[in-house]
Amino acid sequence: MYHRSRVFASVFPVPSLSHTTPTPIATPDLGYAGPGQSFGSPFVSNASGQHRAVRRNLAWSTATRFLSLPKLPLGDTSLDLQQTPKTAEVEESLRYLLVGEGKGEDGHEESLVDWYTNEAGLHFANFVRPTLEELWDKEMDLRHSWDALQQTQQILHQVQHLYLQPFNDHIIPLLYHDGSSSTIRPNKPEQTQAHSTNWKLRRDIHATFAHCLPPQRFSKALSYVLYDAGCRLFHIYVRHDGVVVSSTSENTVEFRERVMTLLRGLEQVGLGGDNAQKAFAHAMNRLVDSFILSHYLKVDWYSKKSVVPHLRMWIKDGFCPLVELVLGCLKCDPSQVEPTELQQWQDMALGRLGRARVDNLFDFVINWNKSLGAIMDIKEYLRLSGAKQHLTSSFSQQVSRRLLHAGATTTYILNVYIYVIRAFHELEPKGVLLERVARPIRRYLKDREDTARIIILSLLTDLTDNVGDKFAPGSELSYEIASEMQKPIANLSPDQDEELNWNDMNWQPLPTDASPDYKKAKVEDVIWFLLTLWDRENFIDELKNILGNHLLRCQDPEYEKEIRLLELIKIRLGDDKLQACEVMLRDVLDSKRINSSIRASGASQLLPSPQGYPSTPQSSRQSGPGPSTPSIPPPQGPRLNAQILSSFFWPPLREDDFLVPDQIQALQKEYESRFERIKGMRKLRWMNALGDGTITLEFADRTEEFEKLTPWQVSVIYAFQPQPSEEWAGGQGKGKGKQKVSGVTRNVDQLRDMLEMDEQLVYQALAFWVGKSVLRETHPETYEVIEEASSSNKDSDAAAAAQEIAEVQAQAQAGAVKTQADLLQEKKDVYMSFIFGMLTNQGNLPLQRILMMMRMMVQGGFPFGADELKGLLGEMVTAEKVVNMGGNVYGIRKG
Amino acid sequence: MALSSGTAPNGARGQTVAQRLQKELMDLMTKPTPGITAFPDDENMTIWTATIEGPPDTPYADLTFKLWMKFADTYPYTPPRVLFKTPIYHPNVDFSGRICLDILKDKWSAIYNITSVLLSLQSLLGEPNTSSPLNGQAAELWDKDQEEFKRHVLARHKQPEELDAC
C-alpha cells in the first residue's frame, strides 16, 4: 500500500502525500476564519472539523519548521546538528500531531512521520546525492574501491545520523511515551508502533541510500574489497585481478580491524544484506581460486607431499573463520558455518585444486618423480565424483596435443609412456585409469615404425658405460627403458588368479569405473607394458633381427652384457621362445673358441679336440669373414677370424656377393678345410658382406691404418693394388697402396668386373675412400690413388664432400640384417605366385582385397603396403601375366 | 620395422587347421603343380576355390573346372568336402557337382593334402570309374560312344567367366 501510493504520487501529485515545506511563520492563513465565525458550513461538526484543521495546520507548521533539516550542502560543519531549541510550543505541536488529535487520518492527511521521511529523502537528493554520485558515477579503478567504500560509508553514516538524530530525539520518545502512558498496562502493539515507525524510517532511508548507488558497481567494489581483504589477510600475492601487492607484511590484526569497521559501518547504513552477501560470496569464490593458485598450494617439488591436507586445514581454520567474521559483521542470519558446509567447501576446493592440477598433468607426468606431490594431490582429487572422467578426457587431450604428433620422436614418446605408467601406477594402483589413458599412446606407438627397434636397442644398451653421449637428446636410445631393465623383477606368480585368492587380506574391489572384462595386469613392470605392445612372436622376431645385428657388431669379446640382457629378457618373456636368440649368442661365443683352435691347429698342425662344441642340430653353418688384424703376430700376411653362425636360427642376413682379396680367399679356403676337419661334415658358406677389417695402407709418403672397415671397402681399395700383370709389389700383405708417385687408376666398370661386386657397393666404397683422402676422382667414374698427401686443397674439399656422401650411404648400407626392400625383392617370386594363384581362383579382385588376402594368407606375413603391392602387380602386368581391369581391379590375362 | 599384429586367435584346434592350410597354401604357391591351383576364399581359410585343367587326350582337354572345397576343423583327419562349381558331364559327378571318389570318403588318409586331392580329381577326369556311377547315362556313353560323350561334355561346360556372371 505504502509503496504503491508513493509510486503513484511520484507521477501525480496527491495533496496528502506531496511534500510540503514547513509553513513560514508570517504566512497568513487565509482559509481560516475567526473562532466562532462560520465560514460557510452551517454544521457544528463541520465547524469543529474546521477547527481541528486549523489547529493541525498550526501545529504542522510549527513541527515541520522545527524538524526541517538544514538546507546546506553536505560538508563537515553543516552536518553538526544545529538544533533550534525545542520550545514548549514545538513540544505541544509534536505531541498533537503524533499522538494527539492531529494524528494523520488514514489516507487523508499526511502524518508527520511520512513528512519527515520525505524531508529526509529530499534533503538527501539535494545535498548528499551529488557527492555520492560524483564518487560512483564512473567506472572506478578497483584499487580505489577501498577509498570509495570508506568515504561512502562515512558520508552515509553522517547523513543517517543527521536524519535519525531529531527523529530519535523528538518523535520516538513521544511515541514511546504515548504507548506506555495512554494505557494502564503497557500494550504490546502500541509499543511496537514506536519500533515499527523507527524501523520504517530507517528502512526508507536505507532504501534511498541503496538506490542512489549504482548496484553493479557497488557490489563489484564491495566484492573486490572483500577479496582484497581476504588476499591480504592470507598473504596471497598472485591474484585474479592482476593487482600486484607489495609483499611487505601488513599488520594483520590492524587490517582486520579496518575491514571489520568498514563492514559494520556499511551494515549500519543499510548496505549490508542480500546484495552484500552476494558480493561476499563472489569474493570468497575468487578467494578460494586464488588460494589454490597461491604459493601455499604450489606443487611440492621438494618434499614430494600432497598439499591437500594443507588445503583442508586452511578451509577449516582460515577460510571458515573469515567467513564467519564477515557474516557476523554483515549481520547475516546464520552466521555460523555448518559442519556439512565445511565439508562441502573442502570438497569444492579440492575439486578446484584437482582440476588445476589435472590441467597440467602432462607436465607433471614428464617430470615424474619430482612431481610426486602433484600426483598425490590428484590422487586425493580422484575421490570426488566425476573426477576420473575429467582426468581421463583432459589427459587424453593433452597427450594427443602434446605428444602424439609427428614432431615427437619415438624415443620421447616411449619415455613419456614410461612416465605415464609410473605416475598412473601411483595415482591408481589398480591400473584402470592407466589402461584408459595409455590406450591412445599404445595405439600410436604400434603405428610407429621404429618403436620396436628403439625398445630393443634400448634394452640392449648398457647403462654403465659412457652414459653421457648415448642418451643425449636426439639420441634414439631411451635411458628410461635401459634403466628399467636394470631393476629387479618383482616376484610374480603368473598363474594365480587374484580374485580367487581368498587369503589375500589386502584385497580390494576394482574401481567402479573398471569395465566388466577388465583384468588387472598382474605385473606392474614397465618393461612388461612395453613388451606387450605387440604379440610376443612378432616381438621376438624383431628382437632376433636386432640382436643379430648387435652381436655381429659387438666388440666385447666376452659378450658379457649381451648374455646378461638375454637372461633378463628370458625372465620376462619366458625362455621357450628365445631359443633362437640363445643359439645366436652361443654361435658368437663358440666362434671365438673355434677361431683360436683353428689358429692353433694352423700353427702346430695339430687337430684340436672338438670338445665344448655346441650340439645344436643344424646341418649347415655360415660364417662371415673377419679380415685380418695385422697388429697380432704373425705380422706377415693378414689374419682371419670367422664368426660361425647357425643359419637356421639367424634372421636373414645380407648376401651381397663379391670377390674378396686373393689372400683373404686363400685364408678362407684354409679356414674352411680346418673347420671341416674339426667339425666333420659341416660346411661353411662365407658371407662376404658381413664382418669388418683393419688394414694398413702404405703410400709413397705416408702410412695410414684404418679400422672397422666393411669388407667391400677393403676389397675395393685392395683392387687398387697393382695387378700381377701390371707390377706386383710383392707379398707385403694385403691392402698396401702402391709406391709409385702416380697412383694406380681404376674406373667403376673395371672395379665392378674385377670384384664382381654390386655397383652400389662400389660407389659407396669409392666415396668412402675419397672421403679418407686415399682416392681422388680424376675423371668422372675414374679414381686414382693419392700417393702424396701434400696435394692441393681441391682434394681435401672433394674429400670432405665425399665423406658426407659416404656417411649417408653407409647409414643406408650399414645393417647386416636385410632391409624391407631387400626382403621384397627376395620374396618377389613367392608373392607373385600368390597373386597369380589368387586371381586364377578368385577371379578379378581389387587392389585392397588382394592386399588384405596377402596379409592374411602369406606365411610369415606380408609386411608391405599398397604401394609395394601395386609395384608388384605392375611388374606382373608388364610380364603379361595379369591385366589391370581399370580402377585398381586386377585379373588374369587370358590365353 | 613395425610389427604387424597377428591374426586373431581362434580356438586351439582352429589355429592348427589354419596353420596347416596356410602351410599348404605356401607349398602350392611356391611349388606350383601345372594344371592345378587353389586359393582360400577369405581370411578364415576354411573355404577354398580350386581350379583344375582337363587332362590332355581326354574329352576334357583344354577345359577349366572350378571346384569348391571346405575344410572341417578336423582336417586333415577328415577329408575336405569338394564340389564341382563348373557344370561337368562325368560318370562320377552328379548334376549338382557332387563327386563320388573313394579318397574323399572312406579311403581318406591324413597324408593326403590339397594337391593330392586335386591331382586325383584331375586323373578322375581321364579315368572315370564307370562301375559305380553317379551319372548312369554318362557312364554308359563313356563305355559306348566317346564322340557323343565329348559332345555332352562340351555342351554342359561353361567358362569360368560365364560362371562368375551368374
Side-chain angles (χ1 to χ4, degrees):
Chain A
M1 172 61 203
Y2 177 75
H3 280 283
R4 244 195 321 185
S5 54
R6 293 263 321 243
V7 169
F8 183 73
S10 70
V11 183
F12 308 101
V14 176
S16 71
L17 286 174
S18 65
H19 188 63
T20 55
T21 49
T23 324
I25 303 166
T27 304
D29 235 340
L30 290 178
Y32 178 66
Q37 208 176 342
S38 166
F39 199 73
S41 172
F43 304 107
V44 177
S45 61
N46 202 9
S48 78
Q50 248 178 8
H51 174 73
R52 183 182 165 272
V54 170
R55 191 160 165 220
R56 187 166 189 276
N57 262 349
L58 263 180
W60 184 265
S61 164
T62 317
T64 49
R65 212 167 27 244
F66 173 70
L67 285 175
S68 67
L69 294 161
K71 300 284 180 288
L72 287 167
L74 200 65
D76 285 324
T77 48
S78 70
L79 284 170
D80 296 334
L81 288 172
Q82 11 116 291
Q83 190 72 58
T84 42
K86 190 172 167 188
T87 56
E89 187 191 2
V90 170
E91 178 77 34
E92 186 59 32
S93 311
L94 286 174
R95 187 179 296 280
Y96 175 74
L97 284 172
L98 288 169
V99 294
E101 287 173 45
K103 211 160 121 182
E105 282 164 23
D106 282 340
H108 294 295
E109 286 167 316
E110 192 181 9
S111 81
L112 192 62
V113 176
D114 289 346
W115 175 85
Y116 188 75
T117 312
N118 273 348
E119 173 74 6
L122 261 181
H123 180 268
F124 182 78
N126 286 331
F127 302 107
V128 186
R129 195 171 176 155
T131 327
L132 285 177
E133 267 172 357
E134 202 182 315
L135 211 54
W136 287 94
D137 70 342
K138 55 185 177 298
E139 201 68 46
M140 75 177 88
D141 192 347
L142 285 175
R143 250 163 290 195
H144 300 140
S145 300
W146 275 101
D147 299 339
L149 276 184
Q150 249 160 354
Q151 232 170 311
T152 310
Q153 187 260 328
Q154 270 163 16
I155 292 171
L156 292 178
H157 189 74
Q158 281 172 335
V159 172
Q160 175 167 288
H161 183 69
L162 176 69
Y163 296 160
L164 289 181
Q165 191 66 42
F167 188 77
N168 287 341
D169 286 354
H170 309 302
I171 297 177
I172 295 297
L174 278 176
L175 290 175
Y176 248 115
H177 188 67
D178 172 56
S180 53
S181 64
S182 62
T183 46
I184 296 150
R185 284 173 301 160
N187 203 339
K188 265 261 155 79
E190 280 297 327
Q191 242 191 5
T192 47
Q193 198 216 336
H195 269 297
S196 77
T197 315
N198 189 5
W199 176 79
K200 219 160 108 184
L201 178 69
R202 263 174 192 274
R203 194 190 62 182
D204 285 346
I205 291 174
H206 289 166
T208 320
F209 290 170
H211 275 292
C212 137
L213 300 173
Q216 297 269 338
R217 227 167 271 166
F218 173 73
S219 47
K220 210 168 138 191
L222 180 60
S223 153
Y224 166 76
V225 164
L226 289 167
Y227 171 65
D228 187 56
C231 287
R232 290 207 211 171
L233 283 176
F234 294 115
H235 299 290
I236 297 168
Y237 305 118
V238 184
R239 299 159 48 150
H240 282 306
D241 47 32
V243 177
V244 181
V245 184
S246 62
S247 56
T248 51
S249 58
E250 297 163 278
N251 187 339
T252 316
V253 180
E254 233 170 65
F255 183 75
R256 199 170 64 187
E257 273 317 305
R258 188 181 158 200
V259 175
M260 283 167 65
T261 316
L262 175 66
L263 288 174
R264 290 220 177 93
L266 285 175
E267 202 279 330
Q268 273 167 16
V269 297
L271 293 176
D274 284 352
N275 281 330
Q277 278 193 58
K278 268 181 214 159
F280 175 59
H282 279 296
M284 289 303 105
N285 184 27
R286 280 196 295 162
L287 182 63
V288 171
D289 280 344
S290 295
F291 185 76
I292 283 168
L293 294 182
S294 73
H295 59 278
Y296 294 107
L297 296 186
K298 284 277 171 261
V299 176
D300 193 343
W301 297 95
Y302 297 103
S303 55
K304 299 176 181 174
K305 288 203 184 94
S306 172
V307 297
V308 172
H310 187 86
L311 177 68
R312 286 189 188 279
M313 198 191 75
W314 177 74
I315 294 279
K316 186 161 167 280
D317 299 336
F319 185 73
C320 282
L322 176 69
V323 169
E324 284 178 356
L325 182 75
V326 173
L327 288 181
C329 289
L330 292 177
K331 295 229 174 86
C332 293
D333 196 9
S335 64
Q336 294 297 310
V337 176
E338 306 271 329
T340 51
E341 277 177 317
L342 173 65
Q343 180 66 36
Q344 273 174 6
W345 289 347
Q346 284 179 339
D347 284 352
M348 194 176 70
L350 176 58
R352 290 179 190 191
L353 176 71
R355 270 194 293 280
R357 291 279 191 271
V358 166
D359 286 345
N360 295 316
L361 182 53
F362 188 78
D363 292 313
F364 296 136
V365 164
I366 56 180
N367 290 309
W368 164 246
N369 207 10
K370 292 199 272 311
S371 63
L372 186 64
I375 300 291
M376 301 302 274
D377 292 342
I378 296 177
K379 193 174 177 181
E380 290 278 339
Y381 162 65
L382 283 180
R383 293 190 190 152
L384 302 185
S385 66
K388 286 184 179 171
Q389 282 84 337
H390 175 250
L391 182 135
T392 318
S393 66
S394 168
F395 188 66
S396 301
Q397 219 171 10
Q398 291 171 43
V399 162
S400 64
R401 198 179 63 239
R402 297 189 50 183
L403 185 65
L404 306 181
H405 53 74
T409 64
T410 309
T411 315
Y412 178 66
I413 299 177
L414 280 170
N415 283 345
V416 173
Y417 181 41
I418 291 174
Y419 295 137
V420 169
I421 292 171
R422 294 184 190 152
F424 275 75
H425 180 62
E426 189 58 49
L427 264 186
E428 196 214 41
K430 285 284 179 183
V432 177
L433 268 186
L434 172 63
E435 193 221 347
R436 207 161 288 170
V437 299
R439 214 177 289 150
I441 309 181
R442 288 173 72 92
R443 203 179 309 132
Y444 189 83
L445 276 176
K446 262 194 223 183
D447 290 346
R448 282 264 174 139
E449 289 199 344
D450 47 354
T451 309
R453 188 165 49 84
I454 289 173
I455 293 179
I456 296 167
L457 277 177
S458 306
L459 290 179
L460 286 171
T461 310
D462 197 348
L463 270 185
T464 48
D465 53 32
N466 52 1
V467 169
D469 56 322
K470 261 197 274 185
F471 299 107
S475 146
E476 283 217 314
L477 300 176
S478 158
Y479 176 79
E480 292 303 328
I481 299 179
S483 59
E484 278 295 329
M485 198 66 187
Q486 310 286 321
K487 291 191 182 167
I489 304 162
N491 205 3
L492 29 128
S493 45
D495 294 326
Q496 209 164 15
D497 192 336
E498 218 179 72
E499 299 297 312
L500 291 179
N501 183 2
W502 292 344
N503 291 325
D504 183 3
M505 287 303 147
N506 294 320
W507 181 86
Q508 283 195 325
L510 285 175
T512 46
D513 53 341
S515 55
D517 54 344
Y518 176 76
K519 196 106 165 64
K520 183 182 180 303
K522 285 181 193 104
V523 204
E524 286 109 21
D525 178 40
V526 169
I527 302 283
W528 183 85
F529 279 105
L530 293 178
L531 297 188
T532 48
L533 273 176
W534 302 276
D535 287 350
R536 183 175 291 192
E537 278 72 17
N538 291 329
F539 189 81
I540 288 172
D541 281 349
E542 186 75 359
L543 175 68
K544 248 160 67 177
N545 281 345
I546 291 170
L547 186 70
N549 228 334
H550 191 78
L551 287 176
L552 287 182
R553 285 140 174 266
C554 183
Q555 291 313 299
D556 175 19
E558 301 296 331
Y559 297 99
E560 245 178 72
K561 204 176 72 196
E562 285 73 17
I563 295 171
R564 187 164 51 87
L565 288 169
L566 190 60
E567 288 301 318
L568 282 173
I569 294 178
K570 255 159 66 177
I571 299 172
R572 291 191 155 98
L573 288 178
D575 29 7
D576 49 330
K577 306 282 190 201
L578 290 164
Q579 193 200 12
C581 296
E582 274 185 79
V583 172
M584 283 157 66
L585 198 55
R586 279 288 259 294
D587 278 347
V588 288
L589 286 173
D590 288 337
S591 304
K592 220 177 56 154
R593 198 159 38 229
I594 294 174
N595 277 336
S596 60
S597 66
I598 283 183
R599 200 168 308 129
S601 77
S604 63
Q605 295 299 327
L606 276 174
L607 277 178
S609 60
Q611 62 177 5
Y613 201 74
S615 54
T616 38
Q618 73 281 9
S619 56
S620 87
R621 302 195 142 229
Q622 307 178 336
S623 117
S628 72
T629 41
S631 56
I632 300 171
Q636 296 294 62
R639 293 189 48 168
L640 178 76
N641 285 311
Q643 295 271 29
I644 298 158
L645 315 177
S646 312
S647 62
F648 185 74
F649 293 94
W650 283 71
L653 299 162
R654 297 180 63 103
E655 283 182 271
D656 305 282
D657 244 342
F658 52 86
L659 297 181
V660 289
D662 300 334
Q663 293 165 323
I664 304 290
Q665 270 181 29
L667 279 172
Q668 284 179 343
K669 285 249 161 55
E670 201 185 326
Y671 193 101
E672 220 172 308
S673 66
R674 288 202 186 130
F675 177 78
E676 277 166 32
R677 254 183 289 167
I678 298 174
K679 294 306 296 176
M681 297 306 291
R682 298 234 163 99
K683 277 287 213 184
L684 281 180
R685 207 175 85 221
W686 296 93
M687 305 195 64
N688 289 337
L690 307 177
D692 55 59
T694 303
I695 58 171
T696 311
L697 298 180
E698 286 173 17
F699 300 93
D701 61 343
R702 66 194 191 279
T703 303
E704 284 188 47
E705 198 163 301
F706 295 95
E707 286 184 344
K708 303 221 122 274
L709 301 177
T710 60
W712 61 86
Q713 286 163 348
V714 174
S715 298
V716 166
I717 199 63
Y718 185 80
F720 283 85
Q721 189 92 310
Q723 293 297 299
S725 55
E726 295 167 20
E727 182 190 330
W728 180 238
Q732 276 281 18
K734 73 166 192 103
K736 293 264 171 71
K738 212 197 124 203
Q739 272 85 16
K740 273 204 306 188
V741 173
S742 66
V744 176
T745 307
R746 303 255 185 270
N747 65 32
V748 174
D749 288 340
Q750 273 177 325
L751 288 170
R752 199 183 52 207
D753 296 343
M754 277 167 69
L755 301 169
E756 298 172 18
M757 189 188 281
D758 191 56
E759 206 165 309
Q760 246 355 83
L761 285 181
V762 175
Y763 278 121
Q764 201 246 306
L766 285 172
F768 173 80
W769 288 117
V770 171
K772 292 281 181 231
S773 294
V774 171
L775 297 179
R776 81 160 77 86
E777 187 166 17
T778 49
H779 303 288
E781 308 242 309
T782 307
Y783 294 83
E784 181 196 39
V785 177
I786 305 174
E787 285 291 358
E788 281 176 359
S790 56
S791 31
S792 64
N793 280 338
K794 213 181 90 191
D795 282 338
S796 60
D797 285 350
Q803 190 155 15
E804 268 178 43
I805 298 169
E807 273 165 21
V808 173
Q809 286 175 338
Q811 292 276 318
Q813 293 274 352
V817 175
K818 282 178 183 156
T819 62
Q820 283 285 88
D822 292 343
L823 266 181
L824 180 68
Q825 213 50 34
E826 180 183 307
K827 292 208 168 171
K828 198 165 76 180
D829 291 343
V830 180
Y831 294 150
M832 282 186 175
S833 67
F834 251 88
I835 296 171
F836 194 73
M838 189 187 316
L839 295 178
T840 310
N841 289 296
Q842 302 294 337
N844 305 336
L845 293 174
L847 182 73
Q848 275 310 317
R849 175 84 184 151
I850 299 178
L851 180 61
M852 200 195 81
M853 296 282 264
M854 293 293 279
R855 288 203 171 136
M856 294 294 185
M857 307 295 177
V858 177
Q859 222 171 12
F862 182 72
F864 305 102
D867 291 339
E868 284 92 346
L869 181 62
K870 213 164 175 175
L872 276 179
L873 284 163
E875 277 185 54
M876 293 173 76
V877 170
T878 322
E880 302 204 329
K881 283 166 136 182
V882 164
V883 278
N884 189 346
M885 321 288 280
N888 270 339
V889 175
Y890 292 86
I892 293 292
R893 175 177 286 268
K894 290 280 155 19
Chain B
M1 182 175 92
L3 298 177
S4 56
S5 56
T7 51
N10 299 338
R13 186 146 228 180
Q15 190 77 341
T16 54
V17 175
Q19 278 171 356
R20 154 93 188 210
L21 289 172
Q22 198 171 39
K23 191 178 173 310
E24 285 201 31
L25 177 65
M26 207 65 193
D27 291 344
L28 271 168
M29 293 301 134
T30 48
K31 299 182 245 352
T33 315
I36 62 170
T37 166
F39 207 82
D41 277 12
D42 56 4
E43 47 273 19
N44 62 29
M45 300 199 90
T46 54
I47 295 176
W48 289 45
T49 299
T51 311
I52 59 176
E53 280 166 25
D57 306 324
T58 66
Y60 304 100
D62 298 332
L63 299 181
T64 307
F65 297 93
K66 291 225 166 184
L67 296 116
W68 175 91
M69 305 177 87
K70 181 170 168 57
F71 300 91
D73 279 354
T74 47
Y75 180 81
Y77 304 105
T78 51
R81 282 181 62 204
V82 186
L83 294 177
F84 270 96
K85 261 165 74 181
T86 312
I88 183 170
Y89 188 76
H90 188 277
N92 302 110
V93 183
D94 74 4
F95 285 111
S96 46
R98 284 182 290 235
I99 304 163
C100 175
L101 181 64
D102 51 0
I103 68 156
L104 290 180
K105 300 205 164 66
D106 49 339
K107 292 277 169 59
W108 172 259
S109 152
I111 61 160
Y112 293 129
N113 58 22
I114 297 172
T115 315
S116 56
V117 167
L118 293 178
L119 281 174
S120 307
L121 286 172
Q122 201 178 26
S123 65
L124 184 71
L125 293 183
E127 299 153 15
N129 177 3
T130 49
S131 58
S132 64
L134 277 176
N135 182 345
Q137 184 204 20
E140 214 167 293
L141 269 181
W142 174 271
D143 289 335
K144 286 182 185 156
D145 189 347
Q146 283 283 335
E147 284 302 308
E148 183 66 17
F149 184 86
K150 178 150 190 182
R151 228 184 353 265
H152 273 96
V153 167
L154 290 178
R156 186 150 169 73
H157 185 259
K158 279 188 184 156
Q159 288 299 320
E161 295 81 61
E162 300 171 59
L163 264 180
D164 289 341
C166 50

